[in-house]
Amino acid sequence: MPAADFVVVANRLPVDRVEGPDGEETWRTSPGGLVAALEPMMRSVHGAWVGWAGQPDVELDPFEINGIDLVPVALSAEEIADYYEGFANDTIWPLYHDVIAPPQYHREWWEAYVRVNRRFAEAAASVVASDGTVWVHDYQLQLVPQMIRELRPDVTIGYFHHIPFPAHGLYAQLPWRDQVIKGLLGADVIGFQRAQDATYFLTAVRRRVRYEVKGSAVTVPTEDGGTRTAVARAFPISIDTAPYKELAARPEIRARAAEIRASLGNPKKILLGVDRLDYTKGIRHRVKAYGELLEDGRLDVEDVTLVQVASPSRERVDAYVHLRDEIELAVGRINGDNDTMGHTAIRYLHQGYPREEMVALYLAADVMLVTALRDGMNLVAKEYVATRADNHGVLVLSEFTGAADELRQAVLVNPHDIAGLKDAIMTAIEMPSGEQTKRMRALRRRVLENDVNAWSSSFLRALSDVRTR
Ligand code: G6P
């Protein structure tokens, strides 16, 4: 494989290895916002993608799929438990999402995180061409920028943080808080979803390592006694809008949307929630508010159905096991109390679906509920908007998502306020058609103009600006 001028480093490869029905090995695109966001760009630029194939102990040589060079990084079962399920998803994930679940701090997990980050950095350093560019992604790999810099001082390094960065009062809990900041500062540009995330990071830089910060620029001391500049600022991510627009226009997808409505007993209004089954997504709050609206008689099960798609995620982490039990108990109770033979209160689906089916669901949904307690961006909100070329449908959107900074014409809610959430759901259900159109037009303008290509171009432009300075 020739040296690559442009290398993406992410925890996951954009494919998963799966066994076919006859035991043969095939590859399929893996789930997750990051993959959806970067795939289109990786097809247009000749580059390499360093990542994990999603299974334990799989040692694979680099290979090519759909014009992308893939460089697999192997993880043992123990490393998956300590680095991925442990430090990434049971320490950093809850800490960075405002401690919605309590973060666990274990020294062995940290050691595995350092070891695995070094493996990713070495893989990237060995495939990148001289004076090339490496773009590192997300909280699983926060030490990789500095590790690559030590191995390959010639390359330009970008880092994008897809999840929130917490306020200093919370960040300060992390026993390895200084090491993580220094790891990130190995990048020339450190991108965040919201301006607030960048501000919190720069505060942590000032308070912890005491480097000079001016605006978005950090003066970082170098080994030779000199300094270099690292820039930290917001680059809100988006989606590739074209497939959503295209699928929404297809007659068979529109027919599928009508079929979904009919199979739910043609309720007057369909509400929709689409999330990974994660405690940050506010699924419990949403279900509670909806259940109370039925109980209060403000909604009637004959008129309305909530479709909740909760795709399985991180199923071996305790907090996720408990969350699933809680949600399924709540859904079962609400359905038991309200269902009739022909109508269900909540159609709960613990499954993932292909994009075609998601677009049909978005078209069928009169109200889209995005009630995350904390979310870096939330691409589902943008997918819904991109799909609604008919300028109908209402987006209810949590203030605690990155998307809320941009999608101001949504019905914005504080999901912790159950009474407010109930009112917001009623406002969405009762919104007149003209008002829906006015809001959806403005939302669509925003999402279609600021798509994933605009995002990656602006990040890469900032990266080349810093390097030529
Ligand atoms: C979030 C993270 C991604 C991650 C995805 C799926 O969107 O920001 O980095 O890939 O969740 O989670 P998983 O643990 O399955 O990779």
Side-chain angles (χ1 to χ4, degrees):
M1 204 171 268
D5 291 316
F6 183 71
V7 179
V8 169
V9 190
N11 179 51
R12 286 184 186 273
L13 285 173
V15 287
D16 277 332
R17 201 168 83 140
V18 287
E19 238 178 61
D22 307 319
E24 81 278 9
E25 283 168 1
T26 53
W27 294 93
R28 97 178 152 206
T29 307
S30 54
L34 171 59
V35 172
L38 285 181
E39 216 175 22
M41 187 189 55
M42 288 302 289
R43 284 190 214 288
S44 62
V45 184
H46 180 88
W49 187 311
V50 176
W52 169 50
Q55 290 179 356
D57 297 309
V58 177
E59 300 270 354
L60 285 171
D61 288 331
F63 63 102
E64 199 213 286
I65 185 168
N66 297 340
I68 308 175
D69 288 342
L70 300 183
V71 183
V73 172
L75 296 181
S76 68
E78 199 183 340
E79 285 167 344
I80 292 170
D82 291 350
Y83 147 78
Y84 168 72
E85 290 159 352
F87 198 80
N89 288 318
D90 216 5
T91 304
I92 296 291
W93 181 270
L95 177 65
Y96 284 25
H97 287 88
D98 290 354
V99 188
I100 295 167
Q104 312 291 326
Y105 302 113
H106 295 299
R107 284 163 286 183
E108 321 81 74
W109 290 3
W110 164 251
E111 282 154 22
Y113 186 78
V114 175
R115 200 166 60 243
V116 170
N117 270 239
R118 181 152 295 122
R119 190 172 309 148
F120 276 84
E122 282 165 359
S126 72
V127 295
V128 63
S130 82
D131 296 316
T133 297
V134 181
W135 192 357
V136 182
H137 288 267
D138 227 357
Y139 65 102
Q140 303 94 342
L141 302 175
Q142 295 172 100
L143 308 177
V144 169
Q146 180 55 24
M147 288 172 170
I148 295 177
R149 181 167 296 280
E150 281 161 17
L151 295 164
R152 290 291 304 273
D154 58 303
V155 306
T156 304
I157 304 166
Y159 171 88
F160 188 75
H161 193 76
H162 292 250
I163 70 171
F165 194 88
H168 187 254
L170 292 175
Y171 182 73
Q173 287 185 9
L174 186 67
W176 308 279
R177 55 203 185 182
D178 294 4
Q179 291 97 310
V180 167
I181 287 177
K182 286 183 178 162
L184 292 169
L185 285 173
D188 296 291
V189 175
I190 304 140
F192 294 93
Q193 301 281 26
R194 312 176 89 158
Q196 188 189 60
D197 299 316
T199 303
Y200 286 159
F201 172 73
L202 291 168
T203 304
V205 169
R206 258 193 231 105
R207 301 272 300 267
R208 306 253 50 98
V209 295
R210 300 180 184 279
Y211 295 164
E212 189 191 353
V213 176
K214 269 205 193 118
S216 59
V218 183
T219 306
V220 185
T222 50
E223 292 223 319
D224 59 7
T227 59
R228 42 174 276 271
T229 300
V231 167
R233 66 174 183 84
F235 300 86
I237 202 171
S238 191
I239 56 165
D240 184 18
T241 54
Y244 292 92
K245 285 191 290 183
E246 192 265 315
L247 287 169
R250 270 199 219 165
E252 72 271 22
I253 304 276
R254 307 186 71 80
R256 175 66 191 142
E259 191 178 89
I260 290 170
R261 279 202 96 89
S263 66
L264 294 168
N266 280 316
K268 288 190 191 133
K269 295 285 177 178
I270 294 177
L271 317 184
L272 175 65
V274 174
D275 313 84
R276 274 185 313 101
L277 186 47
D278 193 297
Y279 50 81
T280 59
K281 301 291 183 183
I283 303 170
R284 276 191 302 123
H285 297 64
R286 181 186 316 163
V287 163
K288 184 178 173 66
Y290 175 70
E292 285 190 17
L293 287 171
L294 289 166
E295 202 180 307
D296 300 344
R298 289 169 79 183
L299 289 177
D300 186 326
V301 74
E302 300 282 325
D303 297 336
V304 61
T305 295
L306 166 61
V307 177
Q308 176 62 55
V309 176
S311 53
S313 185
R314 305 174 190 164
E315 291 187 285
R316 289 168 10 137
V317 179
D318 278 353
Y320 291 75
V321 174
H322 294 140
L323 175 77
R324 181 172 177 193
D325 287 347
E326 272 179 344
I327 286 176
E328 294 183 355
L329 181 69
V331 168
R333 284 212 174 133
I334 291 170
N335 281 343
D337 286 344
N338 294 284
D339 282 9
T340 60
M341 288 302 168
H343 293 272
T344 188
I346 306 176
R347 175 60 50 86
Y348 169 78
L349 302 150
H350 184 243
Q351 294 161 55
Y353 292 94
R355 190 182 274 163
E356 288 75 10
E357 184 71 354
M358 294 316 304
V359 170
L361 269 169
Y362 292 146
L363 287 175
D366 302 290
V367 176
M368 181 79 217
L369 297 173
V370 177
T371 59
L373 305 176
R374 185 47 92 192
D375 206 334
M377 175 51 64
N378 197 286
L379 295 177
V380 164
K382 292 188 173 181
E383 289 172 8
Y384 180 66
V385 169
T387 300
R388 298 307 303 238
D390 60 351
N391 290 318
H392 270 81
V394 184
L395 174 64
V396 174
L397 180 62
S398 162
E399 293 164 24
F400 301 102
T401 63
D405 278 5
E406 298 175 79
L407 304 182
R408 305 305 298 172
Q409 295 79 9
V411 176
L412 295 173
V413 286
N414 168 8
H416 297 280
D417 170 11
I418 299 294
L421 182 51
K422 288 164 72 177
D423 290 345
I425 293 173
M426 292 311 296
T427 301
I429 288 175
E430 288 163 358
M431 190 178 288
S433 168
E435 175 76 10
Q436 290 187 31
T437 302
K438 203 173 97 202
R439 290 183 184 234
M440 189 55 82
R441 276 220 177 96
L443 292 170
R444 286 179 61 73
R445 211 172 302 125
R446 178 82 202 193
V447 171
L448 299 183
E449 278 169 14
N450 296 283
D451 65 358
V452 73
N453 294 317
W455 167 76
S456 59
S457 314
S458 83
F459 185 90
L460 294 172
R461 211 175 312 119
L463 200 51
S464 70
D465 286 353
V466 168
R467 208 45 185 193
T468 52
R469 209 145 70 176

